[in-house]
DNA sequence: AATACGCCCAACCGCAACGCC
DNA sequence: CGGCGTTGCGGTTGGGCGTAT
């Protein structure tokens, strides 16, 4: 027997809301609030709607100061940057964009931004010759990669020495610098924040797993997960170096179509529109290539020797791995 | 003009977290 | 501490609309 439905599905209206329904709901909430009980609300006001549906309608459409469409370049920047850092945590991303709803951002990402970014990647990819793919595969053999657990690629969530996140850090980020701070904690760097970033992060990667205890890894994992309402996998992760370890394939990606794997490997090679503020810098502190929008040539994967950039690369890979669907592969990877 | 196709977005669904008893 | 109801979240769906053929 399954869970009891939240409402009598046979007796609720579904589909688009009428202006009358909107008016009823809006008037009631503006006057009385939600009463802390969405389930009971539709009955109170005589709406044949599920409580969840009322809540969604209010939050996504009727609530004051909601903006629809017309995303600015700055908003694009923020969405892209946060997505690369934390993935599809739409509610968190929406919290940084006043007037935007998670649903709106999710739709915007899925229908436009993602295509914009991946489309650019594909263009760049197509521009490059097949021999370049060979090159990056060879270089990838020297990349520190995560162990596959239960056949599911598990990419590290965070730098090991990020300080524990305080509850205060869950407060909404009100401005670009706050967002930068968040991204810095997550491994990003910005061209105009050299001094700050070099002091707030001191990532040592690739690292020797033998020097890190499982407890440390787990504690770090938990600290970053604490930023999010829903902790992700809490499995400890382990790195090992596959240099000279046989198959010419990245562990953890072998179950993915090779084109997708390559797309992931390409994912930080060229500038992406809307990410201008999300820069990495090299060890000399000069503004330059970023993990996300690196201009690093394929033959030059020196960013692996730059700890920060290796981290950014991982973040990008992780994000792509976790969120690239097979449909994307079919669409982008087969063209 | 008719039809097919693709895009966009509002809304739904299922699940996990949360909170109360 | 466990059960249950509610809330919040992210993925998915389906219909409207614009564009291409």
């Amino acid at each position: 027997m399954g869970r009891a439905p939240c409402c009598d599905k046979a007796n609720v209206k579904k589909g688009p809301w009428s202006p009358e329904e909107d008016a009823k709901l809006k008037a009631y909430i503006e006057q009385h609030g939600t009463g802390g009980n969405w389930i009971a609300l539709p009955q109170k006001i005589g709406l044949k709607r599920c409580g969840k549906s009322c809540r969604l309608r209010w939050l996504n459409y009727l609530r004051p100061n909601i903006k629809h469409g017309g995303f600015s370049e700055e908003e694009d920047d923020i969405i892209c940057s946060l997505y690369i850092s934390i993935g599809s945590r739409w509610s968190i991303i929406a919290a940084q964009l006043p007037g935007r709803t998670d649903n709106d951002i999710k739709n915007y990402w899925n229908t436009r931004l993602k295509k914009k970014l991946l489309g650019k990647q594909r263009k760049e990819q197509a521009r490059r010759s097949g021999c370049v793919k060979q090159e990056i595969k060879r270089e990838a053999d020297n990349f520190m990669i995560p162990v596959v657990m239960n056949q599911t690629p598990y990419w590290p969530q965070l730098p090991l020495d990020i300080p524990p996140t305080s509850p205060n850090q869950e407060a909404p980020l009100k401005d670009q610098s706050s967002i930068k701070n968040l991204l810095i904690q997550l491994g990003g760097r910005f061209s105009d924040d050299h001094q700050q970033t070099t002091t707030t992060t001191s990532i040592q990667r690739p690292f020797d797993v033998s020097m890190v205890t499982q407890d440390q890894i787990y504690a770090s994992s938990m600290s970053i997960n604490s930023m999010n309402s829903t902790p992700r996998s809490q499995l400890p992760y382990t790195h090992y170096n596959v240099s000279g370890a046989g198959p010419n394939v990245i562990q953890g990606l072998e179950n993915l179509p090779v084109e997708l794997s390559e797309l992931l490997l390409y994912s930080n090679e060229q500038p992406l529109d809307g990410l201008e503020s999300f820069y990495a810098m090299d060890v000399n502190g000069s503004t330059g290539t970023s993990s996300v929008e690196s201009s690093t040539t394929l033959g030059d994967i020196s960013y692996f020797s730059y700890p920060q950039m290796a981290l950014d690369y991982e973040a990008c890979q992780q994000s792509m791995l976790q969120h690239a669907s097979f449909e994307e592969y079919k669409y982008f990877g087969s063209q």
Side-chain angles (χ1 to χ4, degrees):
Chain A
M1 192 174 74
R3 163 192 288 269
C6 67
C7 52
D8 179 8
K9 291 193 186 299
N11 203 27
V12 297
K13 185 183 169 192
K14 295 206 286 189
W17 281 63
S18 68
E20 292 76 24
E21 289 175 312
D22 280 347
K24 265 189 182 178
L25 182 60
K26 194 174 183 197
Y28 182 86
I29 293 177
E30 282 176 349
Q31 198 173 352
H32 303 97
T34 64
N37 190 339
W38 284 106
I39 302 298
L41 192 145
Q43 282 187 327
K44 284 183 191 171
I45 58 178
L47 278 179
K48 291 192 171 183
R49 289 279 181 176
C50 172
K52 287 175 75 170
S53 180
C54 293
R55 175 183 164 273
L56 209 62
R57 185 65 180 170
W58 170 256
L59 291 177
N60 289 341
Y61 197 82
L62 300 175
R63 192 161 48 113
N65 304 321
I66 291 289
K67 284 190 278 184
H68 289 287
F71 281 81
S72 66
E73 283 296 315
E74 189 186 5
E75 287 174 313
D76 285 1
D77 285 357
I78 294 170
I79 295 167
C80 290
S81 298
L82 287 174
Y83 185 89
I84 286 163
S85 293
I86 62 176
S88 58
R89 320 302 289 271
W90 304 117
S91 59
I92 295 173
I93 296 172
Q96 319 315 322
L97 299 171
R100 300 294 186 187
T101 69
D102 54 355
N103 206 36
D104 236 11
I105 294 168
K106 179 173 56 181
N107 283 334
Y108 181 57
W109 171 266
N110 284 331
T111 58
R112 299 187 194 186
L113 265 183
K114 184 170 65 177
K115 286 173 187 170
K116 183 176 165 185
L117 298 181
L118 291 176
K120 272 197 169 294
Q121 286 181 238
R122 274 202 53 74
K123 266 190 202 168
E124 186 67 17
Q125 211 173 327
R127 197 175 59 78
R128 302 176 190 277
S129 66
C131 65
V132 174
K133 293 183 180 180
Q134 295 295 322
E135 177 69 18
I136 197 167
K137 271 192 167 184
R138 191 170 68 244
E139 294 291 353
D141 280 348
N142 295 318
F143 182 42
M144 306 294 286
I145 53 87
V147 170
V148 180
M149 292 184 166
N150 301 324
Q151 300 305 306
T152 302
Y154 182 77
W155 292 88
Q157 293 277 324
L158 74 166
L160 288 177
D161 50 356
I162 280 181
T165 308
S166 73
N168 292 341
Q169 287 171 302
E170 293 185 41
L173 306 173
K174 292 185 172 54
D175 53 36
Q176 187 68 10
S177 67
S178 299
I179 292 164
K180 285 182 181 180
N181 287 337
L182 170 61
L183 287 167
I184 287 161
Q185 289 173 31
L186 290 162
R189 285 191 173 190
F190 296 89
S191 55
D192 57 347
D193 275 347
H194 295 168
Q195 190 58 46
Q196 182 182 358
T197 55
T198 48
T199 56
T200 53
T201 57
S202 57
I203 315 304
Q204 301 298 320
R205 282 180 186 252
F207 61 88
D208 180 354
V209 68
S210 66
M211 304 297 288
V212 183
T213 68
Q214 296 274 299
D215 284 349
Q216 283 176 303
I217 297 167
Y218 180 79
S220 297
S221 157
M222 291 309 288
S223 74
I224 196 72
N225 280 339
S226 71
M227 293 186 61
N228 306 322
S229 58
T230 307
R232 292 192 176 170
S233 170
Q234 295 171 359
L235 290 171
Y237 58 80
T238 311
H239 280 75
Y240 68 100
N241 193 332
V242 294
S243 181
N248 191 15
V249 60
I250 295 182
Q251 299 288 322
L253 296 181
E254 67 268 43
N255 292 331
L256 294 174
V258 64
E259 291 86 349
L260 178 55
S261 306
E262 288 170 358
L263 173 62
L264 299 179
L265 289 169
Y266 281 122
S267 65
N268 70 334
E269 288 164 22
Q270 68 287 327
L272 299 175
D273 281 356
L275 288 172
E276 288 77 6
S277 62
F278 189 33
Y279 277 95
M281 62 182 186
D282 63 27
V283 287
N284 297 319
S286 61
T287 304
T289 57
S290 122
S291 62
V292 176
E293 48 178 323
S294 170
S295 60
T296 308
T297 61
L298 284 169
D300 172 18
I301 57 165
S302 59
Y303 47 84
F304 290 135
S305 63
Y306 297 162
Q308 182 60 55
M309 301 188 77
L311 169 68
D312 287 338
Y313 184 79
E314 282 187 353
C316 194
Q317 274 194 319
Q318 173 195 343
S319 182
M320 295 295 287
L321 261 178
Q322 288 178 341
H323 306 289
S325 68
F326 185 61
E327 286 304 311
E328 285 169 22
Y329 155 68
K330 283 193 295 187
Y331 182 73
F332 293 109
S334 61
Q335 290 180 5

